[in-house]
Amino acid sequence: MTAPADIPVLRFESIDSTNEEALRRLAAGERTPLWIIADEQTRGRGRSGRQWQSLKGNLYATLIVEPRVSAAVATQLSFVAALSVHDAVAAHLPADDLPRLRLKWPNDVMLGGAKLAGILLESLASPKRKGLAVILGIGINVAHAPLEMERAVASLGLEPSALPQVFISLATALSEWLGRWDEGRGFAVIREAWLDRALALNDPISVSLNGSAIRGRFTGVDAAGALQLETEPGVVITVTAGDIYPDALV
Ligand code: BTN
């Protein structure tokens, strides 16, 4: 099986985690770029050490790339991935739902305020070559929304038979957005496109970080992709990690 742009695809019926497999493939010196997809994961990983429930029916996919950029520039790839997931799922939603499809900083894809997809980006020194390897792990709730206590979760509500088409949409969109990103030279375009699709831009929000909350107005993201938060008129701070919430909910 190949993805657009002739990127090979390794498919597993069941695996611990497609991101873990990516690390193993890199350590073994496998050629990149390479897609790894699985029907289910037994130890799916989410952000901040969380588990990613990975039963059959949803999409679990990881792309390994080795861009010639610094680790700081590589963090921009989470915006590239979020735009790609946005465009991929938009192609499988009724037109009426599209205004409800938004990107939540740093890299969640939300439908009607509920999480539809997540992205786990990991970068490391390439084990076999000079430079950086980046692992873009993407989970999209295609057939079902796993029950979660702390947050609302959405799905595309499609049959599992739609998975190959959703994967092709994702791989096509990611190849296109990677081309526009152009190893960081096109980040201005990425940033604008991401802001166009952003959830809560210009709204009051809270950012929770290690148990404490900072309140402010979400005014944008800077050139490094950090969140800009206006905490009082004229005072803008940048936040590089955390989870954002509409202010009323915190
Ligand atoms: C998040 O917490 O929002 C990120 C979730 C990322 C899940 C995907 S599923 C494919 C890849 N393999 C993993 O173990 N995690 C990522």
Side-chain angles (χ1 to χ4, degrees):
M1 188 174 179
T2 53
D6 294 331
I7 299 177
V9 182
L10 290 178
R11 176 169 170 255
F12 295 84
E13 265 180 35
S14 182
I15 201 164
D16 50 355
S17 150
T18 53
N19 274 28
E20 284 299 324
E21 182 64 17
L23 290 170
R24 292 189 286 264
R25 296 281 164 168
L26 274 168
E30 189 103 29
R31 278 184 66 169
T32 65
L34 176 69
W35 275 106
I36 299 166
I37 60 175
D39 297 349
E40 69 174 359
Q41 300 184 116
T42 53
R43 280 205 304 276
R45 296 201 272 117
R47 285 201 304 125
S48 311
R50 294 183 193 117
Q51 177 204 0
W52 186 258
Q53 294 186 54
S54 304
L55 296 176
K56 283 191 176 168
N58 289 341
L59 181 69
Y60 313 109
T62 295
L63 177 67
I64 314 173
V65 287
E66 293 182 271
R68 286 156 300 177
V69 298
S70 66
V73 171
T75 61
Q76 298 171 355
L77 283 169
S78 67
F79 294 90
V80 174
L83 283 165
S84 308
V85 175
H86 176 284
D87 289 6
V89 299
H92 297 272
L93 280 171
D96 288 359
D97 274 340
L98 295 186
R100 302 166 62 234
L101 184 64
R102 308 303 296 171
L103 300 181
K104 179 169 173 253
W105 186 87
N107 51 17
D108 288 341
V109 181
M110 312 293 286
L111 184 64
K115 182 154 168 160
L116 177 65
I119 295 160
L120 180 62
L121 184 138
E122 302 179 81
S123 48
L124 61 152
S126 184
K128 295 278 174 179
R129 282 175 282 273
K130 260 174 120 181
L132 198 71
V134 183
I135 294 172
L136 293 163
I138 297 167
I140 303 179
N141 296 336
V142 172
H144 51 82
L147 197 61
E148 289 199 23
M149 301 307 277
E150 340 75 83
R151 61 184 171 203
V153 184
S155 91
L156 291 174
L158 300 175
E159 292 298 321
S161 57
L163 276 165
Q165 274 314 316
V166 177
F167 173 65
I168 286 173
S169 302
L170 173 66
T172 306
L174 197 41
S175 290
E176 286 170 5
W177 282 109
L178 279 170
R180 288 178 200 128
W181 177 61
D182 192 16
E183 299 197 324
R185 290 175 285 271
F187 184 62
V189 173
I190 300 298
R191 185 173 164 276
E192 279 312 304
W194 189 91
L195 287 170
D196 274 352
R197 296 159 175 78
L199 180 78
L201 187 62
N202 295 318
D203 291 348
I205 58 164
S206 287
V207 185
S208 87
L209 182 59
N210 301 330
S212 61
I214 319 169
R215 290 193 149 90
R217 197 168 61 86
F218 173 24
T219 55
V221 292
D222 69 12
L227 178 125
Q228 294 172 310
L229 192 69
E230 189 179 49
T231 51
E232 51 187 280
V235 179
V236 176
I237 63 164
T238 59
V239 181
T240 55
D243 286 310
I244 70 170
Y245 301 92
D247 199 30
L249 295 185
V250 174

